[in-house]
Amino acid sequence: MTNTAALIAKARALHALHTPGQPLVLANVWDIPSARIVQEAGARALATTSSGISWELGAADGDHLGRDRAVEAVRSIAGAVELPVTADIERGYGELPKDVAVTVHAILEAGAVGINIEDSVGAGLLTDEEMAERIAAARAAADEAGVPLFINARTDTYLRQVGEQEGRLAETVRRAAVYREAGADGIFVPGVVAVGTVKELVDAIDAPLNVLAGPGAPGVSEFAGLGVARISVGGRIAEAVHGLVRRAAKEVLTTGGYTQMAGAIEYGELNELFA
């Protein structure tokens, strides 16, 4: 049985971490080991990556995993750490807003206190009205549970390069306002790291702005100076880990070398994380 008082306290803590100029930095996790390691590294909260979880469970990213398996992954992660956990629920695991409500109840029961929900569908985007209905359903479900769930509404206008470039900023800001009105607490705009555009988004959106960062993007301090409130790395760490597995495997299988295994966390230290 989920402890509602504990969830409320963690949800409030997660809300408080979204401070423009002092961003919440999220090194996204996908299983218990990654969650324990990131917590031990000094994280203030944890966020799951849908792609990392999907790959971990043998599925492709992009609504291929299914609610039950996704929720169980979140449950295992939230139960293994003390930090607030926010879960990437893709579009909400269902076609209708009522399906999103079911997902939110399950995610809260699993121990997470925040969600990412996105407006991507197929090769395009949901209409702003469709997405607003899904956000409103998520908010109503959280209110019914009595937990101030942090709803991070993701719009993929830049990631999917929606419309002409000159109108993309206006469309993003317009959608952000609609999503905010529907009950979103924060706005996530992956696919944009250009300093000028990020600053325009920060100034135009009346909510904490989340950006997706990784190799080639400005550093945390530069994003902080622009007023960004949340920085995620999405599936980048999971991708890096899987890249290391491939490099190490190829090296030992082809040349017989072991150099790619250098820099590992030692056995004893890893074992202690799970003691």
Side-chain angles (χ1 to χ4, degrees), residues 155 171-181 184 187 205-207:
T155 181
E171 174 63 9
T172 303
V173 171
R174 187 186 69 79
R175 281 181 175 259
V178 173
Y179 299 169
R180 188 83 165 98
E181 180 66 24
I187 301 295
I205 293 175
D206 183 24

Side-chain angles (χ1 to χ4, degrees), residues 100-207:
V100 177
V102 172
T103 298
V104 166
H105 279 296
I107 285 291
L108 287 168
E109 197 276 330
V113 293
I115 59 168
N116 271 16
I117 184 167
E118 65 194 51
D119 59 12
S120 279
V121 57
L125 302 184
L126 296 166
T127 68
D128 57 353
E129 182 178 359
E130 289 170 331
M131 180 62 168
E133 289 174 350
R134 299 173 84 79
I135 293 168
R139 175 55 65 208
D143 289 347
E144 183 180 352
V147 178
L149 180 76
F150 190 98
I151 299 177
N152 200 37
R154 172 177 143 178
T155 181
D156 285 351
T157 47
Y158 280 90
L159 198 63
R160 295 297 182 87
Q161 298 186 342
V162 173
E164 298 298 324
Q165 185 171 354
E166 57 268 20
R168 203 165 292 150
L169 178 71
E171 174 63 9
T172 303
V173 171
R174 187 186 69 79
R175 281 181 175 259
V178 173
Y179 299 169
R180 188 83 165 98
E181 180 66 24
D185 298 292
I187 301 295
F188 184 18
V189 187
V192 57
V193 294
V195 169
T197 306
V198 170
K199 179 58 175 171
E200 288 182 289
L201 289 169
V202 166
D203 292 342
I205 293 175
D206 183 24

Side-chain angles (χ1 to χ4, degrees), residues 66-68 70-71 74-75 87-112 114-117 134 137-138 141-142 149:
R67 178 193 294 127
D68 291 346
V71 169
V74 171
R75 186 188 311 279
D88 183 347
I89 64 168
E90 302 186 69
R91 284 194 301 121
Y93 302 116
E95 295 303 315
L96 301 174
K98 66 180 182 181
D99 298 320
V100 177
V102 172
T103 298
V104 166
H105 279 296
I107 285 291
L108 287 168
E109 197 276 330
I115 59 168
N116 271 16
I117 184 167
R134 299 173 84 79
L149 180 76

Side-chain angles (χ1 to χ4, degrees), residues 255-269:
T255 70
Y258 316 106
T259 62
Q260 293 296 328
M261 302 177 201
I265 301 175
E266 293 298 329
Y267 171 87
E269 188 178 350

